[in-house]
C-alpha cells in the first residue's frame, strides 16, 4: 500500500502541494480507507505528505530547502559507498556503460530517470555496508521528484550522460578519487538544476 501511494507521489499523479482525496484514492487502489490512512501516516513520518486535523492529508510541496539539505548528504555518502566498493567496482564498468547508453537513448523523463537511478544503484552495488546503501537509497528516493524535473530537459540528460562517462572512465583506469569527484559534480549538477527549476538562484 505504501509503495502504491508513494509511486503516485513520485510520478506526479498526486502533485506537490495537492490535497489527497482519500475516498477516491482508496477506490483507485481497491482498498478501504483504514489501510490507506496507515500508509499515509507512514509517508507523513518520511516527509512525503503532511496533515492537518480539519483538512486531511496533502502532498509535501517541492522545497529549495530540502534540495539544499539532501543533495550534499547524498553526494558525500554515495562517494563513501563508492570508495568502500574497492577494486570490485571496475568489474561493473561494462554494465555501467550499457545503462548509460540507455540513458542517452531515453526519450521521456520517466525512462531517463529509471536509467539514471539504475546507474547510481549499480555504481555502488559492491559496497559491503548495507546500512550505508539503504541510507543512500532513501536519499535518492527523497530527491526523485526533483530529479524528474530536470530529466524533462534533454540537454540535462545529455550533461548527466557525459558526467557518467567521466565516472566510468575514471573507474576504468582505477582512479577512484577521480570517479568520486565526478560523482559529486554529477549530483551537484542535479541540485543546481533543481534550484533553478524552483526559481532559486
Amino acid at each position: 500500500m505504501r509503495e502504491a501511494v508513494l509511486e503516485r507521489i513520485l510520478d506526479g499523479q498526486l502533485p506537490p502541494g495537492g490535497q489527497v482525496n482519500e475516498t477516491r484514492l482508496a477506490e483507485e487502489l481497491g482498498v478501504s480507507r483504514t489501510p490507506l490512512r496507515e500508509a499515509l501516516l507512514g509517508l507523513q513520518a518520511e516527509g512525503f505528505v503532511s496533515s492537518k486535523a480539519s483538512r486531511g492529508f496533502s502532498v509535501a510541496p517541492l522545497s529549495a530547502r530540502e534540495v539544499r539539505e539532501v543533495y550534499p548528504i547524498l553526494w558525500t555518502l554515495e562517494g563513501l559507498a563508492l570508495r568502500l566498493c574497492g577494486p570490485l567496482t571496475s568489474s561493473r564498468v561494462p554494465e555501467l556503460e550499457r545503462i548509460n547508453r540507455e540513458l542517452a537513448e531515453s526519450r521521456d523523463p520517466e525512462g531517463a530517470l529509471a536509467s539514471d537511478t539504475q546507474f547510481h544503484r549499480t555504481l555502488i552495488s559492491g559496497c559491503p555496508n548495507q546500512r550505508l546503501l539503504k541510507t543512500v537509497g532513501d536519499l535518492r528516493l527523497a530527491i526523485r521528484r526533483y530529479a524528474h524535473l530536470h530529466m524533462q530537459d534533454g540537454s540535462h540528460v545529455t550533461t548527466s550522460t557525459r558526467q557518467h562517462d567521466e565516472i566510468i572512465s575514471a573507474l576504468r583506469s582505477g582512479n577512484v578519487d577521480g570517479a568520486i569527484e565526478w560523482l559529486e559534480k554529477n549530483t551537484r549538477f542535479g541540485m543546481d538544476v533543481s534550484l533553478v527549476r524552483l526559481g532559486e538562484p
Side-chain angles (χ1 to χ4, degrees):
M1 177 58 58
R2 170 193 173 278
E3 288 73 18
V5 178
L6 180 58
E7 191 63 30
R8 282 167 166 75
I9 293 173
L10 295 177
D11 67 13
Q13 292 183 53
L14 295 173
Q19 196 75 16
V20 177
N21 186 321
E22 294 180 48
T23 301
R24 184 171 62 191
L25 184 56
E27 290 175 354
E28 291 176 1
L29 297 173
V31 298
S32 68
R33 290 183 63 180
T34 298
L36 175 59
R37 287 186 65 83
E38 291 175 354
L40 288 168
L41 286 170
L43 291 170
Q44 180 179 6
E46 296 178 62
F48 289 103
V49 300
S50 60
S51 67
K52 292 184 179 179
S54 60
R55 298 183 58 190
F57 292 93
S58 59
V59 179
L62 297 177
S63 160
R65 177 178 178 178
E66 182 177 34
V67 170
R68 290 193 175 99
E69 289 180 349
V70 174
Y71 273 85
I73 301 172
L74 174 59
W75 74 58
T76 300
L77 294 186
E78 199 168 37
L80 173 60
L82 181 55
R83 188 177 300 282
L84 291 175
C85 288
L88 290 177
T89 306
S90 61
S91 66
R92 294 183 174 83
V93 166
E95 179 68 4
L96 291 170
E97 290 175 329
R98 181 190 65 78
I99 297 168
N100 206 36
R101 284 195 299 271
E102 291 179 357
L103 174 59
E105 295 167 0
S106 61
R107 293 294 177 265
D108 59 81
E110 290 74 19
L113 182 56
S115 294
D116 184 70
T117 300
Q118 186 181 8
F119 179 90
H120 285 273
R121 185 184 300 120
T122 302
L123 181 66
I124 61 171
S125 59
C127 175
N129 188 323
Q130 295 302 307
R131 189 178 295 271
L132 177 57
L133 287 177
K134 182 181 185 307
T135 301
V136 171
D138 289 343
L139 290 168
R140 284 234 155 249
L141 195 61
I143 68 164
R144 183 169 159 183
R145 294 189 298 167
Y146 303 99
H148 189 274
L149 277 179
H150 68 77
M151 288 297 177
Q152 294 175 17
D153 188 321
S155 67
H156 296 160
V157 175
T158 299
T159 298
S160 289
T161 302
R162 289 172 179 168
Q163 291 169 338
H164 290 177
D165 281 335
E166 295 291 349
I167 294 171
I168 293 169
S169 178
L171 289 175
R172 189 185 293 111
S173 63
N175 182 6
V176 176
D177 286 339
I180 291 172
E181 181 179 345
W182 274 104
L183 177 59
E184 177 177 335
K185 289 179 180 179
N186 178 238
T187 310
R188 189 183 290 274
F189 171 70
M191 180 183 74
D192 292 342
V193 170
S194 296
L195 289 173
V196 170
R197 286 277 188 163
L198 292 171
E200 294 288 325

